């Protein structure tokens, strides 16, 4: 019995050793010596390379500039001064008139001052300064959380319209966080942006 198990085990061991070492036997180990550098891709005439100089620039603290879709960084406090905005496809003059018409309706806020030459408005917005703590379940259930409307305060927000890209304009609002949030949301809803 011992001879047959040795006769089976020895060829199986040799076969498995040959299979494990056989993978490297048939290949050349110097294939990287024949590798060549490919030519870099060429940009077709008429196309420019995009500028990468500002691709990885970290903005300074407080430089809360809005992106094309209006996204900005969160402000640390409820009444912190922030900047938010969005982009319209109109010229600066047309966007200034549309924003003025939306503000003149009085639903978003009251126009306190305007500067036609600089394309700016100063708007007083009644907005609720949200606190970080919401009332609990029972507080909301029994009506202790309904006092938000009485805590609305006046916030002064500066709205400016500036050129953005080719034929577009950027509407930017700056002021206290609750006022800016209400004004930008209201303008986006009115202007369909």
């Amino acid at each position: 019995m011992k001879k047959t198990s040795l006769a089976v085990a020895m060829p199986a061991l040799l076969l498995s050793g040959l299979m494990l070492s056989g993978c490297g036997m048939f290949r050349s180990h110097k294939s990287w010596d024949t590798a060549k550098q490919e030519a870099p891709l060429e940009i077709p005439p008429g196309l420019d390379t995009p500028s990468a100089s500002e691709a990885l620039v970290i903005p300074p603290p407080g430089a809360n500039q809005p992106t094309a879709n209006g996204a900005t960084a969160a402000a640390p406090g409820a009444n912190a001064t922030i900047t938010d905005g969005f982009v319209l496809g109109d010229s600066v003059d047309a966007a200034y008139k549309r924003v003025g018409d939306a503000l003149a309706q009085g639903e978003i806020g009251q126009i306190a001052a305007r500067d036609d030459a600089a394309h700016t408005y100063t708007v007083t917005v009644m907005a609720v300064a949200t606190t970080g703590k919401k009332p609990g379940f029972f507080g909301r259930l029994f009506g202790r959380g309904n006092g938000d409307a009485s805590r609305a305060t006046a916030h002064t927000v500066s709205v400016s319209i500036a050129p953005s890209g080719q034929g577009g304009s950027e509407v930017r609002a700056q002021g206290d966080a609750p006022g800016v949030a209400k004004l930008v949301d209201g303008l986006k809803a009115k202007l369909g942006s």
Side-chain angles (χ1 to χ4, degrees):
M1 187 84 146
K2 197 169 188 175
K3 263 188 171 184
T4 56
S5 63
L6 186 60
V8 171
M10 192 57 85
L13 186 62
L14 287 174
L15 183 62
S16 64
L18 182 62
M19 289 179 82
L20 290 175
S21 66
C23 295
M25 244 193 277
F26 302 111
R27 266 190 262 164
S28 168
H29 292 288
K30 297 189 178 201
S31 58
W32 60 86
D33 288 340
T34 60
K36 294 182 181 178
Q37 179 73 30
E38 292 289 330
L41 293 176
E42 293 184 20
I43 297 174
L47 293 179
D48 293 333
T49 58
S51 173
S53 61
E54 295 183 17
L56 300 175
V57 174
I58 298 172
N64 194 12
Q65 302 301 321
T67 60
N69 65 357
T72 58
N79 288 326
T81 300
I82 65 166
T83 301
D84 195 1
F86 55 95
V87 176
L88 292 174
D90 300 338
S91 68
V92 175
D93 292 328
Y96 179 70
K97 182 178 180 333
R98 284 181 63 198
V99 168
D101 292 342
L103 292 173
Q105 293 175 2
E107 296 173 8
I108 301 169
Q110 299 297 320
I111 298 175
R114 69 175 62 202
D115 184 0
D116 293 335
H119 296 104
T120 60
Y121 294 100
T122 302
V123 182
T124 303
V125 179
M126 295 300 290
V128 177
T130 58
T131 58
K133 186 177 178 185
K134 281 179 33 179
F137 173 73
F138 290 109
R140 290 191 309 263
L141 183 66
F142 294 114
R144 286 188 286 176
N146 295 340
D148 288 342
S150 64
R151 291 187 293 192
T153 56
H155 300 277
T156 303
V157 179
S158 175
V159 180
S160 62
I161 293 93
S164 175
Q166 294 180 349
S169 359
E170 179 181 23
V171 178
R172 182 176 292 169
Q174 183 172 6
D176 293 339
V180 169
K182 181 178 179 185
L183 185 114
V184 169
D185 290 343
L187 283 176
K188 283 182 179 180
K190 293 267 185 203
L191 302 176
S193 174

